[in-house]
Structures are given as C-alpha cells and as structure tokens.
Amino acid sequence: MSIAASVPSAAPRILILGGTSDASDLAAKLACSGVTVISSLAGRVAQPRLPIGIVRVGGFGGVDGLVQYIAAEKIDAVIDVTHPFARRISCNAELACAAASVPLIAFERPQWERLPGDLWTNVPCVEAAAVLADQEDKRVLLSIGRQELSAFASCQRAWFLVRAIDPPDVILPCNCELVLQRGPFDLAAEVQMLRARSINLIVSKNSGGSATYPKIEAARDLGIPVLMIERPHKHSAQTFTSLEDVLRELKQLFSGPWF
Ligand code: NAP
C-alpha cells in the first residue's frame, strides 16, 4: 500500500533505516538538502562507521516502538536502506509506516549475478549452506557476518576460515580460524588470502554491492566454488534499486524548496 506524504510546512524529517554503505551514501547525498535526516543503526557493530548527520543507535522495540518513534520525532517519511538480509526491520518498517500513515521508500541494492566462470550453487538459507559445506576435504571461507554463524556450530568435518567484523558471540565450528576484518576488500588481497589458506569453498550471502564482491571475483579467477545464499523476500511495496531513484521519489513526495 502506498501512502501519500502530507506536505509539511517545515523541513521534512526523514528517517533512514541504515547499517549499510548505501544508507551512509544516501545520508551524505541528503546532507546539503533542506530536509532533516536521522540515520538509524541497529548497534550490532562495536565501532560502526557513522553516517553524516544525526544518528540514533539501537532497536526501536518492534513495530509499536517504531510507530511511537515516528510520532515522537515527527517523521514525515521512512527510507529503508537496510541490508538485503535484514528482513525483520524491513517487515517492521512496512507495518509501522502503514500504522503511522507515513510513506515508506524501500531500497535494495541489486544482487550479484552469476558470470561466466562462476561456480555457484544457490542455496535458500544459511542452514542449507552449513549442511553442504561440512564435508571432510573442504577448507571453507565463511563470510556471512557473525549473526548467523551458529548454523555452522555443529559442523565437524570441514575446516572454516570465519571472517567477521567483531568477535562472534556464538559457538563456532570446532575446526576453524577466526579473522576479524572489515571491508571493503581488495581483489589481489582476496586472491592471496584464498591461496594462502588453501580455500576450496566459499560460503557467501548474495549481498550485492562492491565492498565484498572481490571474494566472488577471486573465486571466479581461482575456480573456487561458492555456496551462494539467496536473499529473503523483504518488501511487498515497490523497491528501488538505485539511490538516484530513491531521491527522485523523495522529491516527488516533498515538492518544495527542500532539495
Ligand atoms: P533484522 O534481523 O532485520 O532486525 C532485527 C532487529 O534489529 C529489528 O527488529 C530491530 O529491532 C533492530 N534493527 C535492525 N536494523 C535496525 C536499524 N537500522 N535501526 C534500528 N534498529 C534496527 O536485522 P539484522 O539482520 O540483525 O541486521 C541488523 C543491522 O545490520 C541492519 O541495520 C542491517 O542493515 C545491518 N546489516 C545486516 C547484515 C545482515 O547480513 N543481516 C549485513 C550487514 C549489515 P527492534 O525490533 O527492537 O526495532
């Protein structure tokens, strides 16, 4: 359901649901406009890269909490620029915006597409990837963030190089090495890392974007198979795939001297 914005007499107040580089890019693009932007982060990363402008951190307390926040902060529109795998907050945003009668603009960065030379097996979820990855001869780069690593906790046979930004607070597979690193990553360094650790399988989410794509390019160059976890379906509403389209939509909603 799409909701028309009521034209505000003061500068529109925009809530960006973020936690992604796209959300930071959008906040930066809006920094010189006349709108007030509040970027929201979940607070998962200990030392996040903060977007420009006003930032709030932490969950809202479900749909009701988000509805209350929208009312208390007099939010005129919400832009969901969360990660393609952050499903719950997107669902909450749809319900809260409908309840609060404010428009929701949904953005999802394009997913990666298989290119010639890619050896991908698409899998529907992290649990399926864990079953397929746990084979004796496998040396696996596990690069899915830290929240869903518990799906691999019972893996006994494969060896894992677990890469995350912060130390995971879940049980890791018994045969593993943990490396704490934050993207963006570089193709030459990824090739070197895969060779040095004799990696012969990669588990990745189909996150899209450029920051973590070098591991996929490196896999293609080295002929390493990838278990590619498919994205969940996030929005029932129209979803934009470029920030330019998001800005165009915002300008249509709030015509006036704001942009
Ligand atoms: P999720 O499962 O969709 O959300 C879980 C809960 O975290 C939400 O119900 C909400 O709590 C809170 N939350 C999530 N995003 C929020 C935001 N931007 N601002 C305020 N609260 C937020 O999300 P997730 O997968 O845990 O991801 C958390 C954050 O990390 C997201 O902002 C996402 O963009 C970013 N991220 C996720 C991934 C990934 O692979 N999942 C990768 C990179 C970045 P309440 O119900 O209390 O409001």
Side-chain angles (χ1 to χ4, degrees), residues 20 38 41 48 77 79 99 104 109 116 126 133 143 176 185 191 198 217:
T20 58
I38 303 173
L41 307 181
I79 311 181
L104 171 69
R109 63 170 89 134
V126 177
S143 167
C176 80
F185 297 100
V191 167
S198 304
E217 291 178 287

Side-chain angles (χ1 to χ4, degrees), residues 18-19 40 44 58-62 82-83 86-89 92 147 205:
S40 175
R44 298 279 188 277
F60 296 97
T82 56
H83 191 268
R87 191 165 174 273
R88 186 159 359 132
I89 185 67
N92 289 357
Q147 292 192 76
K205 292 176 172 173

